[in-house]
Amino acid sequence: MLNPIDTGKVIRDGGAIGRFPDEIHPGVAWWMAACFVMTTRADRLAVAHDGKAATAEFFDRMRLGAINVQHYACLVLDRGVAGQDELLATMKELERVPGMRVTSDQGIVTVTLYDCDGNPLTERTGLLVIRRMIAEDRVPIPVNAECKGRIQSYAEAAG
């Protein structure tokens, strides 16, 4: 694994949380998204961020990870800058799709994963599987270019 992390310390509490750049790096967002799409078998995923400069690269990597997962061809619906409540409303409006959101506060970056009901992922609902996949360097990659998903703005999809 390039640039390993302490998965037990970082992948917890509904996603990945760590001090940047010491404990977490943007590649973690890619890994989390790819593993999340695979474990949920998602064909659509709603994503958002807090609009801070510290989360921009994490958000970009998260979106790219979600569209590069084996044969799933996931449609990533980019909500852009949105609070948690806005993302959860979007997920519900899209008929219960899973979601992800990246935030930062005082050097701590958080990548939160939400199940189809809008609850942060728990050990029992997939976080343990994702942690193991990353720890064992089993992050999924695309089978071929035809299987690659795409990113679409939420406004464009809703409009």
Side-chain angles (χ1 to χ4, degrees):
M1 172 190 309
L2 290 175
N3 205 358
I5 60 166
D6 180 343
T7 54
K9 183 176 180 180
V10 173
I11 301 173
R12 59 184 171 82
D13 302 333
I17 303 166
R19 181 162 299 286
F20 175 71
D22 303 328
E23 300 170 328
I24 195 170
H25 55 81
V28 174
W30 197 102
W31 301 341
M32 295 295 288
C35 292
F36 187 47
V37 167
M38 185 169 170
T39 59
T40 60
R41 303 178 190 274
D43 61 353
R44 294 183 304 155
L45 179 70
V47 299
H49 63 97
D50 63 6
K52 296 179 182 172
T55 57
E57 187 175 357
F58 283 84
F59 184 68
D60 287 342
R61 294 277 192 94
M62 181 177 73
R63 295 182 312 161
L64 292 174
I67 65 170
N68 283 295
V69 182
Q70 294 183 341
H71 61 277
Y72 290 97
C74 184
L75 173 61
V76 175
L77 297 159
D78 183 344
R79 185 68 170 80
V81 176
Q84 177 178 301
D85 291 343
E86 293 167 305
L87 176 62
L88 296 176
T90 298
M91 292 164 51
K92 185 176 180 179
E93 178 184 321
L94 293 169
E95 299 176 3
R96 301 184 59 234
V97 302
M100 295 180 72
R101 183 167 179 259
V102 181
T103 59
S104 67
D105 184 35
Q106 298 180 354
I108 304 293
V109 174
T110 303
V111 179
T112 306
L113 312 176
Y114 299 94
D115 67 18
C116 292
D117 294 320
N119 300 309
L121 225 55
T122 67
E123 297 293 309
R124 292 180 37 212
T125 60
L127 199 59
L128 177 62
V129 172
I130 291 170
R131 183 184 308 106
R132 284 186 182 154
M133 289 174 72
I134 293 170
E136 296 169 4
D137 200 17
R138 293 185 300 122
V139 176
I141 58 173
V143 175
N144 57 46
E146 288 79 38
C147 294
K148 190 173 183 175
R150 63 189 174 90
I151 301 167
Q152 181 178 12
S153 107
Y154 166 74
E156 182 181 309

